[in-house]
C-alpha cells in the first residue's frame, strides 16, 4: 500500500487551491473551472475552516433558491472537514472516502495543509500498484527475473 506522501509526490501539480470564506460562490466556481479541479479548501489565515466542492454548489445554490454571485462560500461550504496525514495509506483513504461518500481529502501534517488527494489520485495509484504486481507475477511464472 502506498503512503499518501508518495501519492502527493507523484502528482504533476501538487498545488492546493484555497479560497476565503467571504468569497462569492461565483469566484470559487471560476477558480475551480480555471484550475480544472472539483474542490477548494476554505481557509482563514493558516486555518482550514471548510471545504467547498462541486457537490456543495449542486445541492446548496439553485436548489435552495440562492445565486452564486451573491452567496458567500461560508454559507454553503462543508465545515466538518475530514483529512488524512501523509503517513496514511491509500487503502485507509479509500475506506474513509467510501464510508463518508467523499471525493477529496486534504492532507495535513502537524496542523499544516500540505496537499489534497482525490478519488482519482487513489484509483490511479491502485491501478499502478496492481500493474506492478501483475508484471512481477508474470516474470516469476515465466522465470525471467
Amino acid at each position: 500500500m502506498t503512503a499518501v506522501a508518495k501519492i502527493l509526490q507523484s502528482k504533476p501539480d501538487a498545488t492546493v487551491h484555497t479560497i476565503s470564506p467571504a468569497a462569492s460562490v461565483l469566484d470559487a466556481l471560476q477558480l475551480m473551472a480555471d484550475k480544472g479541479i472539483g474542490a477548494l479548501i476554505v481557509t482563514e489565515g493558516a486555518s482550514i475552516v471548510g471545504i467547498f466542492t462541486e457537490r456543495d454548489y449542486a445541492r446548496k445554490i439553485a436548489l435552495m433558491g440562492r445565486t452564486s454571485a451573491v452567496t458567500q462560500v461560508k454559507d454553503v461550504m462543508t465545515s466538518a472537514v475530514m483529512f488524512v496525514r501523509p503517513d496514511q495509506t491509500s487503502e485507509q483513504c479509500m475506506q474513509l472516502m467510501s464510508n463518508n461518500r467523499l471525493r477529496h481529502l486534504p492532507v495535513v501534517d502537524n496542523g499544516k495543509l500540505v496537499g489534497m488527494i482525490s478519488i482519482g489520485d487513489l484509483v490511479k495509484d491502485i491501478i499502478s500498484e496492481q500493474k506492478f504486481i501483475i508484471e512481477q507475477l508474470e516474470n516469476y511464472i515465466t522465470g525471467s527475473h
Side-chain angles (χ1 to χ4, degrees), residues 7-29:
I7 295 171
L8 287 177
Q9 289 170 353
S10 72
K11 290 179 71 154
D13 182 8
T15 306
V16 182
H17 298 283
T18 63
I19 195 151
S20 160
S24 74
V25 168
L26 187 60
D27 288 340
L29 293 172

Side-chain angles (χ1 to χ4, degrees), residues 66-134:
R66 296 176 167 140
T67 59
S68 54
V70 297
T71 304
Q72 292 182 313
V73 169
K74 69 181 175 186
D75 296 328
V76 292
M77 70 183 187
T78 301
S79 299
V81 182
M82 293 192 173
F83 63 89
V84 292
R85 296 178 317 276
D87 62 339
Q88 288 184 263
T89 66
S90 55
E91 186 177 270
Q92 289 171 320
C93 294
M94 286 293 276
Q95 189 166 13
L96 187 62
M97 288 177 149
S98 294
N99 291 346
N100 295 284
R101 303 185 69 215
L102 305 171
R103 290 183 280 181
H104 300 88
L105 281 173
V107 182
V108 176
D109 191 16
N110 293 320
K112 183 176 185 264
L113 178 64
V114 295
M116 173 102 86
I117 57 169
S118 69
I119 193 78
D121 296 328
L122 291 172
V123 168
K124 182 179 171 187
D125 176 69
I126 289 167
I127 289 170
S128 173
E129 202 171 291
Q130 288 177 344
K131 275 184 175 178
F132 176 75
I133 291 168
I134 290 167

Side-chain angles (χ1 to χ4, degrees), residues 2-3 6 21 32 37 50 61 80 93 102 106 110 122 143:
T2 310
K6 188 174 178 191
M32 289 165 49
I37 57 176
I61 297 296
C93 294
L102 305 171
N110 293 320
L122 291 172

